[in-house]
């Protein structure tokens, strides 16, 4: 059953209810990240950068997005599960939740009711307020699982979707053992906040500003600086024009670090059926 058929009935404008639990959680993580000046070290900053790439580019961009959401490539199941685990460590939700929401975003892009983070509700809604005002059709487990049935059938993804938050505990203990509280503050809280906001820019900024190469029906745009911050995801107009293509940056100058990782997997024989851009595509003049 397709996403469209599952959501064919009109939802209608619904009252928004603020989740104080979500507000408290996200405020606490941001507050702890503000401890960074008192725990600074160059090695801790290096941990932030390394984990930002590992959990962001490999976990979210490659794993959650291009692999699980769009099936732009195939990898061995054990490797697929590893990428999903890295994505869960990014603290952006479990794989079923994340994939379901993003599939709805593509099926109903910018629809104020059916797109979880519709840009038509404004920058701050698509950036983060959609999380502070969670709607049950997007956040209730029994509902969003319908939009990612391929993942919901896998016991590992069901487990990861339920317990992803707890993964920060062994990560925090490991970081503490390696570098004390400095590594914990930078490797967990600074890294999480940085990755949250760079990822959210794809929902917000790249639907408002930037260049439009393809004639899509939505407001998606290519935004170079967002692409640099998100390992290639900022070439968003390219992506919305051809969502299943594994490569986001099509031009030689469109830096797409996640694509470099996919290329490496392909060379090693670990990535198969990699979806490439069409030889000819209709573009705007």
């Amino acid at each position: 059953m397709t996403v469209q058929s599952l959501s064919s009935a009109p939802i209608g404008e619904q009252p928004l209810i603020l989740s104080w639990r979500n507000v408290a959680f996200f405020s606490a993580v941001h507050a702890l990240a503000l401890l960074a000046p008192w725990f600074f070290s160059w090695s801790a900053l290096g941990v932030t950068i390394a984990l930002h790439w590992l959990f962001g580019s490999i976990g979210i961009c490659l794993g959650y997005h291009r692999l699980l959401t769009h099936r732009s490539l195939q990898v061995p199941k054990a490797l697929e599960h590893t990428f999903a685990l890295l994505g869960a460590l990014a603290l952006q939700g479990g794989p079923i939740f994340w994939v379901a929401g993003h599939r709805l975003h593509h099926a109903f892009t910018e629809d104020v009711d059916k797109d979880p983070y519709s840009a038509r509700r404004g920058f701050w809604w698509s950036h983060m307020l959609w999380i502070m005002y969670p709607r049950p059709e997007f956040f209730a487990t029994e509902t969003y699982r319908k939009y990612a049935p391929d993942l919901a059938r896998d016991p590992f993804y069901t487990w990861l979707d339920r317990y992803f938050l707890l993964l920060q505990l062994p990560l925090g203990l490991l970081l503490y053992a390696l570098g004390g509280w400095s590594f914990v503050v930078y490797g967990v809280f600074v890294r999480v906040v940085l990755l949250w906001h760079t990822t959210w820019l794809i929902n917000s900024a790249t639907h408002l500003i930037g260049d439009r190469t393809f004639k899509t029906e939505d407001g998606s745009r290519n935004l170079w600086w967002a692409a640099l911050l998100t390992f290639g995801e900022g070439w968003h107009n390219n992506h919305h024009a051809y969502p299943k293509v594994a490569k986001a940056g099509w031009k030689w100058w469109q830096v797409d670090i996640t694509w470099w990782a996919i290329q490496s997997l392909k060379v090693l024989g670990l990535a198969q059926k990699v979806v490439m851009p069409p030889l000819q595509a209709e573009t705007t003049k």
Side-chain angles (χ1 to χ4, degrees), residues 80-91:
E80 178 182 306
H81 283 174
T82 300
F83 290 155
L85 180 63
L86 293 174
L89 281 162
L91 203 58

Side-chain angles (χ1 to χ4, degrees), residues 172-202:
L173 290 172
L174 176 62
L175 290 170
Y176 182 79
L178 293 174
W181 286 112
S182 177
F183 274 29
V184 173
V185 170
Y186 275 82
V188 176
F189 301 107
V190 174
R191 180 266 307 171
V192 164
V193 170
L194 177 63
L195 190 49
W196 276 346
H197 285 283
T198 52
T199 302
W200 294 342
L201 282 171
I202 305 304

Side-chain angles (χ1 to χ4, degrees), residues 148-178:
D150 51 331
L151 273 65
R153 289 190 294 266
D154 188 321
F156 177 75
Y157 291 133
T158 298
W159 177 85
L160 202 57
D161 206 64
R162 181 177 298 176
Y163 298 113
F164 74 92
L165 184 60
L166 297 179
L167 296 177
Q168 298 302 310
L169 294 177
L171 174 63
L173 290 172
L174 176 62
L175 290 170
Y176 182 79
L178 293 174

Side-chain angles (χ1 to χ4, degrees), residues 2 6 105 122 155 160 183 278:
T2 65
L6 284 166
H105 169 67
L160 202 57
F183 274 29

